[in-house]
């Protein structure tokens, strides 16, 4: 859907406009049960890095519009540098989705939550944001959530697993 694409490409302003017009789009699932938050959390930096390798100019233009630096993104164009450059855009996009009611613990057809995907992709900032949101919602008893205790248990379990993945990612990257 358009919301999935906007989340994947970190188009937070477009996504916010879409969700104002159609709030239910935040929970829309694709054929694999993935919601827009899954697309954001699944490691946009990896996929967009591949785009850079094959189509440098369109990617450079896209990156310059989302980069945290005031100068053009300069070599070395490594995955680590790219991840840091995109962090603000990822956090802004995640904030839009979470404010619209996206569930960090919602699982896709394979059982992966956005929380797990963010931790596996090595995005510590997004993982922390999703963990905080899941924890706050679990502590609040899932206000406005009709899942009941099974949903609360799922969020707590997802939070614990994501914290483990985040710790592993931090150990591996030294962050």
């Amino acid at each position: 859907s358009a919301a999935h694409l906007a989340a994947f490409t970190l188009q937070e302003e477009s996504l916010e406009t879409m969700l104002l017009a159609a709030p239910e789009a935040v929970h829309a699932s694709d054929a694999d049960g993935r919601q827009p938050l899954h697309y954001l959390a699944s490691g946009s930096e990896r996929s967009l890095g591949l785009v850079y390798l094959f189509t440098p100019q369109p990617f450079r233009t896209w990156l310059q519009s989302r980069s945290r630096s005031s100068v053009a993104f300069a070599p070395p164009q490594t995955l680590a540098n790219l991840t840091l450059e995109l962090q603000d855009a990822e956090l802004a996009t995640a904030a839009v989705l979470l404010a619209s009611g996206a569930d960090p613990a919602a699982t896709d057809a394979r059982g992966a939550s956005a929380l797990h995907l963010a931790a596996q992709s090595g995005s510590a900032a997004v993982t922390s944001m999703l963990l905080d949101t899941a924890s706050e919602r679990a502590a609040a008893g899932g206000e406005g959530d009709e899942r009941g205790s099974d949903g609360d248990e799922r969020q707590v379990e997802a939070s614990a697993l994501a914290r483990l993945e985040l710790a592993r990612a931090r150990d591996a990257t030294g962050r």
Side-chain angles (χ1 to χ4, degrees):
S1 75
H4 289 83
L5 182 60
F8 178 74
T9 57
L10 307 177
Q11 302 281 339
E12 71 275 359
E13 292 173 358
S14 299
L15 186 60
E16 188 171 24
T17 301
M18 283 182 232
L19 295 175
L20 284 172
E24 68 281 357
V26 76
H27 301 294
S29 295
D30 67 7
D32 294 322
R34 294 171 46 136
Q35 296 178 3
L37 192 57
H38 286 91
Y39 277 70
L40 165 73
S42 65
S44 297
E45 70 277 5
R46 285 191 317 267
S47 301
L48 295 173
L50 292 174
V51 170
Y52 168 76
L53 292 174
F54 297 107
T55 57
Q57 191 53 46
F59 180 75
R60 187 177 305 273
T61 302
W62 178 89
L63 179 62
Q64 286 175 349
S65 70
R66 278 156 191 76
S67 175
R68 69 167 54 186
S69 63
S70 58
V71 296
F73 185 66
Q77 294 172 336
T78 64
L79 184 57
N81 288 348
L82 180 59
T83 300
L84 288 174
E85 288 290 318
L86 296 178
Q87 183 173 314
D88 290 341
E90 286 180 331
L91 290 172
T93 305
V96 167
L97 289 165
L98 294 170
S100 297
D103 180 2
T107 57
D108 63 13
R110 295 183 192 144
S113 72
L115 204 47
H116 296 124
L117 295 172
Q120 289 172 348
S121 76
S123 178
V126 172
T127 302
S128 292
M129 179 182 265
L130 297 180
L131 276 169
D132 291 345
T133 301
S135 297
E136 288 169 10
R137 290 180 183 174
E143 289 178 26
D145 191 351
E146 297 177 9
R147 290 178 305 195
S149 63
D150 289 342
D152 294 341
E153 289 173 17
R154 185 172 51 105
Q155 281 187 324
V156 170
E157 180 182 331
S159 294
L161 291 172
R163 286 184 196 280
L164 179 61
E165 288 290 336
L166 179 59
R168 288 180 185 155
R170 285 183 175 156
D171 287 343
T173 62
R175 288 192 236 166

